Amino acid sequence: MDNTLFGFLDYAVYGTAVLVMLIGLYGAMVKKSLLKIVIGLSIIDSGLNLLIVAIGYYKGGTAPIFSQGFLENFKSVSKMVDPVPQALVLTAIVIGFGVTAVALALVIRLYRHHGTLNIDEIKNLKW
Amino acid sequence: MKKFLVILLLAVLGYYIADTYFDIGFGQPHFVKSAAPVKDIYLAKTQNPLKVSNAVTSIVVNFRGFDTLGEVTVLFLAVTVLGSVLYKKRHQVGERSVLFNSSSIVTSGSKLLFPAIILLGAYVFIHGHLSPGGGFQGGVIIATGFLLMLLAYENYSVSHTALSIVESLAGITFAGVGLLGFMHGGTFLQNFLPSGVMNNLFSGGVIPIIYIAVGFKVGAELTGVIYTVLHEKGENNG
């Protein structure tokens, strides 16, 4: 039972993360509105963060916090999941916020200049 | 036609990314195969010389503290770019772009909730080395409190001078603590205060000080971002 559950999770977690990334890429490539493109970029960010956190997990591991309960019940630190990807994702979230904020500011500026958000109507913005 | 091409491209891309990660396998201890995995070294040092409970905090603030200083700088740069891209002449500032008035339920409810949100944010960043959370998370919670007030009250204003003073002081605290470590231990951001007892509030040396500074800085910067974007008026083109 436990084995089959993990067999399913094995594909589900990575599959979900990759799927979220692909949905974001699709939105960034196909949509016409600049706001939707920025939303697509931030969806890629979310998928990537999920992927990085999922790599650090391993079966039966606990959260990397030396709480009172951990110190009483578990003896060795090897029962903890990897804290390094979590710290990296904390950095990545902040950088993602900065990128989204600057992109939205540029979108506001383009809207002020052109009066539209459709990239077909703005010259030199079509691929 | 373009959509079909994009879907085909994404399918190929997704197949190869997913295949790579399925080969690694979910939940396998694949970083633990070597004799001394980096994870165990980090965790052992977190437990013994540093005496910090939350291992993620000890990595972010201590082992990778210089990286965090750069990260805070990137956040500061984003706020600066936002302010310079959305620049306004002084007499045009003050109009809000939200078109509706909030009801009295929203205004009195947000007045009730605002202190609790600020308190929660302060709790999260003061206890960053003991429980899940930290400076970035607490700062974001504080900024959501200000967002609530800015949405509920039409003429609620945040002083830009106060925000920049708080932000600069927090940044100076971070860099100053790093320089003090330079003087005491020989390296930048060296932990020079006593570590204390594990799971106490006063433990971990300089880590709580740095995380409190980060909390203030992130809170002030995000409030500035929200205020700048919310007071963006669409009608005057150019």
Side-chain angles (χ1 to χ4, degrees):
Chain A
M1 172 60 203
D2 205 31
N3 213 359
T4 50
L5 185 66
F6 265 112
F8 171 70
L9 274 182
D10 205 340
Y11 293 97
V13 177
Y14 284 149
T16 311
V18 173
L19 200 66
V20 170
M21 277 169 64
L22 291 184
I23 289 170
L25 259 176
Y26 178 81
M29 289 167 90
V30 167
K31 291 296 174 188
K32 300 287 182 200
S33 167
L34 278 170
L35 269 183
K36 287 182 183 172
I37 292 175
V38 175
I39 291 172
L41 289 179
S42 76
I43 290 174
I44 299 175
D45 258 358
S46 311
L48 204 56
N49 292 337
L50 187 58
L51 196 58
I52 298 174
V53 167
I55 295 171
Y57 177 75
Y58 81 99
K59 284 171 197 169
T62 60
I65 295 171
F66 294 98
S67 59
Q68 215 73 53
F70 176 84
L71 295 173
E72 283 162 11
N73 293 328
F74 302 92
K75 293 291 174 262
S76 79
V77 295
S78 58
K79 285 303 264 183
M80 284 181 171
V81 301
D82 200 342
V84 183
Q86 301 189 10
L88 289 179
V89 162
L90 185 58
T91 309
I93 289 172
V94 175
I95 304 299
F97 164 78
V99 169
T100 310
V102 172
L104 282 177
L106 291 176
V107 167
I108 290 174
R109 196 78 188 140
L110 272 173
Y111 182 76
R112 256 202 234 163
H113 192 74
H114 294 281
T116 176
L117 284 178
N118 194 340
I119 57 169
D120 284 340
E121 294 175 23
I122 302 173
K123 212 179 154 191
N124 299 335
L125 260 189
K126 210 179 161 191
W127 63 290
Chain B
M1 185 60 202
K2 198 179 90 174
K3 277 183 188 172
F4 180 70
L5 261 177
V6 167
I7 288 175
L8 198 69
L9 182 71
L10 289 181
V12 173
L13 190 69
Y15 173 74
Y16 280 108
I17 296 177
D19 193 42
T20 312
Y21 284 100
F22 289 156
D23 278 351
I24 295 175
F26 178 67
Q28 306 297 323
H30 37 263
F31 291 137
V32 199
K33 274 178 187 155
S34 63
V38 62
K39 170 197 125 188
D40 284 1
I41 295 172
Y42 272 145
L43 286 172
K45 282 197 172 177
T46 301
Q47 195 179 17
N48 201 2
L50 282 176
K51 295 198 170 57
V52 177
S53 298
N54 189 350
V56 178
T57 297
S58 83
I59 288 178
V60 165
V61 180
N62 200 295
F63 299 114
R64 301 175 58 86
F66 197 55
D67 182 57
T68 303
L69 186 58
E71 185 185 344
V72 169
T73 314
V74 167
L75 204 57
F76 171 72
L77 205 67
V79 177
T80 314
V81 168
L82 209 72
S84 64
V85 167
L86 298 178
Y87 77 97
K88 281 271 178 61
K89 292 205 177 94
R90 194 167 285 271
H91 59 87
Q92 287 175 335
V93 181
E95 290 294 316
R96 241 182 46 168
S97 55
V98 178
L99 297 175
F100 52 88
N101 296 320
S102 45
S103 69
S104 63
I105 296 176
V106 175
T107 50
S108 23
S110 58
K111 202 184 282 179
L112 188 71
L113 271 177
F114 180 65
I117 293 175
I118 298 295
L119 188 66
L120 176 68
Y123 174 83
V124 166
F125 70 66
I126 288 172
H127 288 77
H129 56 303
L130 301 178
S131 57
F136 294 101
Q137 295 88 332
V140 171
I141 291 172
I142 287 178
T144 55
F146 279 104
L147 173 64
L148 181 68
M149 290 305 271
L150 283 166
L151 285 179
Y153 290 93
E154 205 168 339
N155 43 15
Y156 186 84
S157 77
V158 186
S159 161
H160 258 287
T161 345
L163 282 182
S164 55
I165 286 174
V166 168
E167 195 186 321
S168 322
L169 277 182
I172 288 171
T173 310
F174 195 157
V177 167
L179 286 178
L180 278 179
F182 214 31
M183 284 191 259
H184 282 262
T187 50
F188 190 66
L189 286 167
Q190 172 91 31
N191 203 340
F192 59 90
L193 290 176
S195 299
V197 183
M198 195 135 182
N199 276 320
N200 275 14
L201 183 58
F202 294 103
S203 66
V206 296
I207 289 176
I209 301 173
I210 290 177
Y211 239 15
I212 287 170
V214 168
F216 273 107
K217 195 166 164 59
V218 171
E221 275 165 352
L222 261 64
T223 309
V225 167
I226 290 166
Y227 188 75
T228 311
V229 176
L230 207 60
H231 282 253
E232 168 62 34
K233 198 179 168 189
E235 288 129 50
N236 45 351
N237 294 335

